[in-house]
Amino acid sequence: MMNKNVEKSINEQIKKEEFSSRLYLAMAIWCESNGFPGAAEFLYKHADEERVHMLKLVHFVADRGGKAKLMPMNPPEQDYKSLLEVFKEIMKHEEYITASINELYGVALKENEFTTANFLQWYITEQVEEEKLFSTILDKISLVGADKAGMFHIDKELEGMAASKTVPEAGA
Ligand code: FEO
């Protein structure tokens, strides 16, 4: 049986990953209707990835004899002032998720749940990758400022990144 504190913390993380997916979906919708089709494509895919992050946790809880619970949540922000604001918010959100994963890892260690701690290593590595990716994109957007040609170029770049991204299976 899964330790109750660990189960509760994982369920909170399930909610956060589900929210991440909805947040990026809301941002993708904003990008699509504000002239950034490449950024939209990139964020639609990223929303799918967050859903996989959620599903991996759901399967892990089930495999360990626990019970995954879905929780109510408030809708994400759907209005943004600019693409810069979108990516600033993403960066802030990912830093929050990293802190949350680290906290969850701490709970697993405290409860001597080494299998869970081992499983969470994947998320720790993933967060490093995500923060690196989003800080690179954010730097680029900050650099071009309000320059229209620069923004067009960035949107194209995001489109290329979306095309080369494959969303992994939750069981992988
Ligand atoms: Fe599930 Fe973007 O971290």
Side-chain angles (χ1 to χ4, degrees):
M1 254 333 239
M2 193 168 219
N3 173 280
K4 284 292 154 200
N5 278 339
V6 172
E7 182 178 332
K8 187 169 166 278
S9 299
I10 294 185
N11 272 318
E12 277 159 18
Q13 192 63 36
I14 287 173
K15 178 185 180 184
K16 288 171 190 167
E17 300 291 346
E18 192 184 2
F19 180 80
S20 302
S21 184
R22 291 198 81 194
L23 176 64
Y24 298 152
L25 180 61
M27 289 169 165
I29 293 166
W30 182 88
C31 288
E32 192 165 30
S33 54
N34 283 277
F36 300 111
E41 197 55 36
F42 177 86
L43 288 170
Y44 280 126
K45 275 224 170 139
H46 208 79
D48 287 348
E49 277 189 28
E50 296 297 352
R51 188 163 186 281
V52 171
H53 294 176
M54 176 198 72
L55 276 175
K56 273 175 110 81
L57 290 164
V58 167
H59 294 323
F60 180 75
V61 173
D63 290 348
R64 300 275 298 153
K67 192 168 190 302
K69 288 196 189 87
L70 295 184
M71 300 182 207
M73 64 181 74
N74 293 324
E77 179 60 58
Q78 298 211 51
D79 291 318
Y80 299 93
K81 285 194 288 288
S82 62
L83 195 64
L84 178 64
E85 191 197 8
V86 167
F87 278 87
K88 272 188 180 165
E89 288 300 319
I90 294 176
M91 197 66 227
K92 231 188 337 183
H93 184 71
E94 288 301 335
E95 283 166 358
Y96 158 74
I97 294 294
T98 299
S100 172
I101 293 285
N102 290 344
E103 216 173 288
L104 177 55
Y105 187 76
V107 173
L109 289 185
K110 198 171 143 258
E111 301 291 352
N112 290 339
E113 278 258 350
F114 301 115
T115 309
T116 302
N118 193 39
F119 166 77
L120 289 172
Q121 290 288 345
W122 183 88
Y123 285 84
I124 292 171
T125 309
E126 180 70 13
Q127 283 311 117
V128 174
E129 291 301 315
E130 291 213 351
E131 283 198 31
K132 196 167 76 184
L133 170 71
F134 287 121
S135 104
T136 306
I137 298 170
L138 185 56
D139 284 350
K140 284 185 188 186
I141 298 175
S142 305
L143 258 175
V144 301
D147 180 61
K148 283 227 161 68
M151 280 310 246
F152 181 80
H153 182 74
I154 281 173
D155 192 61
K156 279 278 160 215
E157 213 175 305
L158 286 167
E159 189 181 9
M161 285 163 88
S164 63
K165 213 173 173 75
T166 42
V167 178
E169 300 274 327

